[in-house]
């Protein structure tokens, strides 16, 4: 059985991951969940993603448009705004600096894999 993911760690990086995926191409909510599953977050639920989308939109980092669907209700597609692109750039740089520091500290206590 795989180890469970720390929800606080995910909460901190999920907005960055959503912005990154939306930079690749616009998507609707369920499609984003699927794309995140395909990227390795297979335990992520829609109930975790939709509040992030709402917050990013409220903060002006993404915008949305409704697109009619032949198989059900209209889908809300999301795309980053200029502010979202700027935020993604800042967040990615900060994440990479933090990851280097975390790796440096953990390498002191964790044996290297051979």
């Amino acid at each position: 059985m795989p180890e469970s993911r720390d929800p606080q760690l995910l909460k901190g990086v999920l907005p960055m991951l959503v912005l990154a995926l939306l930079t690749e191409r616009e998507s609707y909510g369920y499609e984003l969940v699927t794309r995140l599953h395909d990227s390795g977050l297979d335990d992520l639920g829609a109930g975790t993603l939709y509040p992030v989308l709402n917050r990013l939109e409220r903060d002006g980092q993404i915008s949305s448009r409704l697109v009619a669907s032949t198989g059900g209700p209209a889908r809300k597609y999301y795309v980053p705004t200029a502010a979202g692109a700027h935020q993604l750039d800042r967040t990615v740089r900060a994440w990479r600096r933090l990851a280097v520091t975390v790796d440096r500290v953990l390498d002191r206590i964790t044996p290297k894999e051979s």
Side-chain angles (χ1 to χ4, degrees):
M1 182 169 149
E3 290 185 39
S4 63
R5 201 176 315 276
D6 183 338
Q8 290 304 312
L9 290 176
L10 181 59
K11 182 180 178 181
V13 298
L14 192 54
M16 176 179 59
L17 298 178
V18 168
L19 284 169
L21 290 177
L22 291 175
T23 297
E24 290 178 341
R25 70 174 189 269
E26 74 174 352
S27 295
Y28 57 95
Y30 183 75
E31 181 182 41
L32 278 170
V33 170
T34 301
R35 292 173 68 194
L36 287 162
H37 286 179
D38 292 346
S39 297
L41 294 177
D42 50 351
D43 56 346
L44 179 80
T48 301
L49 178 67
Y50 284 104
V52 171
L53 289 170
N54 289 334
R55 187 170 52 255
L56 288 171
E57 188 168 28
R58 183 186 66 237
D59 293 347
Q61 295 180 19
I62 61 174
S63 62
S64 64
R65 66 185 181 97
L66 285 175
V67 176
S69 172
T70 58
R75 292 180 174 156
K76 195 172 188 180
Y77 280 80
Y78 299 93
V79 65
T81 62
H86 179 69
Q87 178 63 28
L88 176 61
D89 182 58
R90 286 182 31 219
T91 306
V92 166
R93 283 187 279 122
W95 172 259
R96 289 188 171 142
R97 283 192 308 271
L98 177 61
V100 166
T101 301
V102 169
D103 285 342
R104 190 177 306 128
V105 171
L106 294 181
D107 283 348
R108 289 189 252 173
I109 62 164
T110 307
K112 297 278 187 195
E113 294 180 22
S114 305

